[in-house]
Amino acid sequence: MNETNTAPKISKKIFIRGTITALTGLHIGGSSVAMSIGGADKVVVRNPLTNEPYIPGSSIRGKMRSLLERVRGMEQQTGDGGFSYDEKTKKADAGKNPATDLGRLFGVSAAETTKEPTRLIVRDAHLTKESKKTLKNAPNTDMPMTEVKTEVNIDRITSAANPRQFERVPAGAEFEFEFILTLLEGDDDNKFLNLVREGMELVQHDSLGGHGSRGYGQVRFTLMETLERTTENYRNGEAGSALKNDPLAGFNESNATAA
């Protein structure tokens, strides 16, 4: 006897698009296997076909999830349907419990008892056309489209200097990002959109990539558009439309006035 599929149906997809600007040098590590003599000790990730640096979607998504989980800590469901911190039980880990908002937004591993599909897709962020042109024609880059920053580690016992070289995408570079939020029937659209907004704000006030405590990886998100496409649109071959009552509206303005 076939089991009835009771999984919630997809209601719509929301597309969040814009740019990420590197305000300080950005280092997201790549493979050093083919490092040439005289190159950096730690190189950035690049597209193997174009040799252009990019930001992996996994780096953006992972940082957003990590910071959101650190803000919430361990969560336990309360009677009103919300979640609160519980030091005693620690049963509702935001990163593992599919009943939490973060568990529903980012998904829960198949290794867990109850699986939860991800609602948030984060695409790789590639350089904008203008940034490609600027970096390719920049006269003072050390490697193709990037800079090399030398740091010196001083041994506190012997005072011996150990120089290291890190490849970075220069401050000012811009990347195009796209988030795709898949909402299911019964989902609260604003709840998940507000979580995405909160995650973006947290990343801006932290860092992206490696060595953030040393000044690397300060970034700014700039939203360009938020579109929705319902399942009805897909069935009828219709394009998406601008999201109404968008909780992300005003994001850019709040950035300009943030402390």
Side-chain angles (χ1 to χ4, degrees), residues 19-162:
T19 61
I20 300 173
T21 303
L23 301 181
T24 62
L26 179 65
H27 176 88
I28 297 177
S31 173
S32 299
V33 174
M35 184 182 68
S36 60
I37 295 174
D41 300 314
K42 300 290 184 180
V43 298
V44 300
V45 63
R46 292 175 180 268
N47 184 320
L49 299 180
T50 64
N51 202 36
E52 296 169 355
Y54 70 98
I55 304 176
S58 57
S59 296
I60 305 169
R61 189 178 188 276
K63 189 67 175 188
M64 289 174 64
R65 180 170 192 162
S66 172
L67 290 170
L68 285 167
E69 288 179 3
R70 287 172 61 189
V71 166
R72 281 160 177 72
M74 312 298 284
E75 293 179 325
Q76 180 182 4
Q77 192 162 14
T78 60
D80 61 359
F83 291 88
S84 63
Y85 181 80
D86 185 0
E87 180 61 39
K88 284 186 177 181
T89 61
K90 293 189 176 180
K91 289 183 178 179
D93 186 342
K96 296 182 180 180
N97 192 328
T100 63
D101 294 335
L102 294 186
R104 290 194 289 265
L105 179 63
F106 292 103
V108 172
S109 169
E112 303 301 329
T113 303
T114 304
K115 294 183 284 186
E116 178 71 27
T118 182
R119 284 169 171 78
L120 183 64
I121 296 172
V122 181
R123 304 291 194 198
D124 290 346
H126 296 279
L127 288 166
T128 63
K129 291 182 179 179
E130 187 61 33
S131 277
K132 288 180 185 181
K133 180 179 178 181
T134 300
L135 290 173
K136 285 180 179 178
N137 296 328
N140 299 316
T141 51
D142 303 294
M143 296 173 69
M145 307 179 77
T146 59
E147 64 179 350
V148 173
K149 184 174 184 292
T150 301
E151 297 185 1
V152 179
N153 179 39
I154 304 296
D155 189 296
R156 289 168 176 76
I157 304 300
T158 66
S159 296
N162 179 30

